[in-house]
């Protein structure tokens, strides 16, 4: 490992400034540098986030989508995909089961499915909140401010909306029917409405250089996010990006570790896409800075059909078996499952003052 990179890691760990070039070099560094980076991220995680791992039960309640993001298996033009929508009572039942298994958060995720009006979704949120003591996170894509407000008033606590890349140019190439600035603006709307806000990017997108990933890291840091979810891009065979290479586990872990060093207080999951690349992906993520896992509690008849990318693991596990599996993973890395909600660690002042001046990295 070069003395220069060792210094960059030490500066990051001490909360010092880092340059775009420094980060780009860390993302491409050799394996021994990467090990030092993971160890630094693990120490910072321990200091700021502690030993508890927060679990979020994921419910993929609809795979209908009006968008055509070029990387995603749920894109509207993917005609071979068999589509489903869970019924409202099925969603509520699954959320109650999650609460009974000890989960303190359920994440309701879907394609951009306008069949679900905000009133219908708000009723589901209200039912869940009245029947089981869980926090509710939404990951349903872009809606109007009024719709986000109705859902917040119904009791939704958090919202995940990945920016996908901090480069508006790359974003436009990948999203024929959506606009980077509008997506970015929605993060501010969500924050203003009082949601705990999560965003993130994909790693290893076509045309994404290490410098662009360094820009992503600095961009995410400047957003003061409560939660940051990042994962490798995995090419789906029935999409326009089928022939692309995709992100590697190594690059994703390095990115994750840099993220922990730059955003010590953020809630950062070892994402499902990490586990899709390596059966030990969750353990490795937890040891490189992550403090959240998102076990999939979608009923088994739907799980297969929610194929954003190929290689999703543990589709055969039911809710009880998955809870056991995740307990084993957390124990294996010497940590413990949190019994709390795992709400944001940012102070009210930080949340109330998002960095409105951050526009784009390029
Ligand atoms: N429709 C909503 C939520 C579901 S998609 C939305 O787009 O916000 C959730 C995330 O899956 C996306 O933000 C994207 O980052 C990720 N994703 C989609 N296709 C992927 C792929 N091929 N590889 C890796 N991640 C992917
Ligand atoms: Fe739809 Fe989200 Fe996939 Fe884009 S990423 S096609 S919005 S499910």
């Amino acid at each position: 490992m070069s003395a220069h990179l060792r210094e960059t890691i030490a500066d990051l760990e001490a909360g010092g400034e880092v340059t775009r070039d420094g980060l780009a070099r860390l993302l491409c560094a050799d394996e021994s540098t990467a090990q030092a980076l993971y160890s630094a991220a693990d120490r910072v995680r321990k200091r700021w986030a502690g030993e508890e791992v927060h679990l979020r039960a994921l419910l993929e309640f609809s795979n209908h989508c009006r968008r055509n993001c070029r990387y995603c298996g749920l894109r509207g033009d993917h005609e071979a995909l068999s589509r489903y929508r869970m019924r409202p009572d099925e969603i509520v039942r699954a959320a109650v089961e999650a609460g009974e298994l000890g989960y303190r958060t359920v994440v309701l995720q879907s394609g951009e499915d306008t069949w679900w009006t905000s009133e219908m979704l708000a009723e589901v949120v209200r039912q869940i909140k009245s029947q089981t003591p869980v926090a509710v996170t939404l990951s349903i894509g872009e809606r109007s401010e009024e719709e986000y407000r109705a859902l917040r008033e119904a009791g939704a606590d958090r919202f995940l909306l990945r920016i996908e890349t901090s480069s508006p140019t790359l974003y436009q190439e990948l999203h024929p029917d959506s606009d980077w600035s509008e997506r970015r603006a929605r993060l501010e709307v969500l924050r203003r409405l009082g949601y705990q806000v999560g965003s993130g990017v994909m790693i290893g997108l076509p045309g994404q250089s290490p410098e662009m990933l360094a820009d992503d890291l600095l961009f995410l840091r400047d957003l003061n996010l409560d939660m940051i979810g990042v994962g490798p891009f995995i090419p789906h065979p029935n999409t326009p990006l089928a022939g692309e290479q995709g992100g590697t586990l190594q690059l994703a872990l390095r990115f994750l570790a840099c993220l922990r060093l730059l955003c010590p207080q953020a809630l950062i999951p070892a994402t499902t896409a990490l586990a899709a690349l390596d059966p030990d992906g969750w353990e490795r993520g937890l040891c490189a800075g992550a403090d959240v896992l998102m076990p999939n509690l979608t009923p088994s008849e739907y799980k297969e059909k929610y194929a954003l990318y190929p290689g999703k693991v543990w589709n055969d596990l039911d809710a009880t078996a998955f809870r056991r599996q995740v307990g084993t993973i957390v124990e294996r890395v010497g940590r413990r499952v949190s019994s709390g909600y795992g709400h944001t660690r940012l102070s009210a002042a930080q949340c109330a003052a998002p960095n409105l001046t951050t526009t784009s990295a390029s």
Side-chain angles (χ1 to χ4, degrees):
M1 184 193 344
S2 79
H4 192 63
L5 286 176
R6 203 193 323 259
E7 238 172 72
T8 309
I9 295 173
D11 284 350
L12 271 170
E13 187 173 354
E17 267 307 309
V18 64
T19 62
R20 176 191 200 229
D21 278 358
L23 287 170
R25 272 202 294 274
L26 277 181
L27 292 171
C28 306
D30 60 25
E31 193 49 38
S32 78
T33 307
Q35 290 305 329
L37 178 65
Y38 303 153
S39 302
D42 199 46
R43 287 191 293 273
V44 167
R45 184 273 307 156
K46 195 170 183 167
R47 201 174 316 138
W48 290 85
E51 296 294 8
E52 293 196 331
V53 175
H54 301 282
L55 303 186
R56 319 302 201 194
L58 181 62
L59 294 174
E60 300 158 331
F61 67 92
S62 163
N63 71 350
H64 288 259
C65 190
R66 68 185 173 127
R67 298 249 188 230
N68 265 308
C69 308
R70 286 164 60 82
Y71 44 80
C72 178
L74 303 194
R75 65 203 304 273
D77 282 356
H78 183 193
E79 283 171 10
L81 181 68
S82 146
R83 307 275 171 174
Y84 71 89
R85 287 186 182 104
M86 285 173 69
R87 292 190 318 272
D89 63 298
E90 278 182 301
I91 304 172
V92 175
R93 193 160 7 98
V96 169
E97 187 182 7
E100 286 165 0
L101 285 166
Y103 290 99
R104 286 288 160 263
T105 297
V106 294
V107 180
L108 304 183
Q109 191 180 86
S110 66
E112 279 200 23
D113 183 5
T114 46
W115 180 87
W116 282 94
T117 62
S118 52
E119 290 77 22
M120 289 159 72
L121 279 174
E123 185 51 28
V124 168
V125 172
R126 269 191 295 272
Q127 288 286 332
I128 291 174
K129 299 285 276 195
S130 67
Q131 293 186 35
T132 185
V134 291
V136 172
T137 303
L138 298 175
S139 172
I140 57 171
E142 296 179 35
R143 298 260 176 165
S144 69
E145 177 161 356
E146 291 64 43
E147 291 177 289
Y148 286 154
R149 181 177 294 108
L151 291 162
R152 175 82 187 112
E153 284 170 2
D157 302 272
R158 311 188 190 125
F159 204 104
L160 304 175
L161 188 72
R162 284 187 180 178
I163 193 76
E164 316 293 3
T165 167
S166 64
S167 159
T169 314
L170 179 58
Y171 187 90
Q172 237 46 67
E173 282 166 19
L174 298 171
H175 303 89
D177 46 14
S178 79
D179 179 81
W180 187 91
S181 305
E182 282 176 22
R183 198 161 176 96
R184 165 78 185 81
R186 276 177 169 81
L187 293 172
E188 301 307 340
V189 168
L190 290 163
R191 174 61 52 85
R192 217 171 39 237
L193 291 170
Y195 284 97
Q196 295 170 49
V197 180
S199 191
V201 298
M202 274 179 286
I203 299 156
L205 289 166
Q208 197 181 37
S209 63
E211 287 72 24
M212 288 164 83
L213 284 168
D215 286 337
D216 287 348
L217 282 164
L218 295 170
F219 179 81
L220 291 170
R221 177 197 63 184
D222 291 345
L223 281 177
N224 286 336
L225 294 159
D226 304 295
M227 309 164 290
I228 311 177
V230 300
F233 155 58
I234 304 177
H236 186 294
N238 297 353
T239 62
L241 302 187
E244 298 292 340
Q245 276 211 308
T248 62
L249 182 75
Q250 282 67 25
L251 186 59
L253 289 173
R254 284 157 201 221
F255 191 98
L256 181 64
C258 290
L259 202 55
R260 170 58 70 199
L261 293 170
L262 289 166
C263 312
Q265 304 189 63
L267 288 144
I268 302 180
T271 48
T272 314
L274 274 186
L277 289 189
D278 181 331
D280 294 332
W282 278 10
E283 278 101 318
R284 297 181 69 178
L286 286 175
C287 296
D291 63 335
V292 174
L293 294 176
M294 298 172 70
N296 191 337
L297 265 69
T298 308
S300 53
E301 66 263 45
Y302 305 124
K303 259 185 203 171
E304 293 269 351
K305 297 180 182 167
Y306 197 87
L308 302 164
Y309 45 79
K312 254 170 90 176
V313 285
W314 304 312
N315 270 358
D316 53 325
L317 296 185
D318 67 14
T320 311
F322 215 139
R323 179 62 191 80
R324 218 176 302 125
Q325 163 93 351
V326 89
T328 310
I329 290 174
V330 172
E331 263 172 40
R332 244 189 263 147
V333 295
R335 312 254 281 277
R336 55 180 183 274
V337 169
S338 169
S339 55
Y341 284 98
H343 282 313
T344 181
R345 299 190 187 95
L346 297 188
S347 67
Q350 279 168 300
C351 293
N355 188 346
L356 291 164
T357 56
T358 306
T359 49
S360 76
S362 56

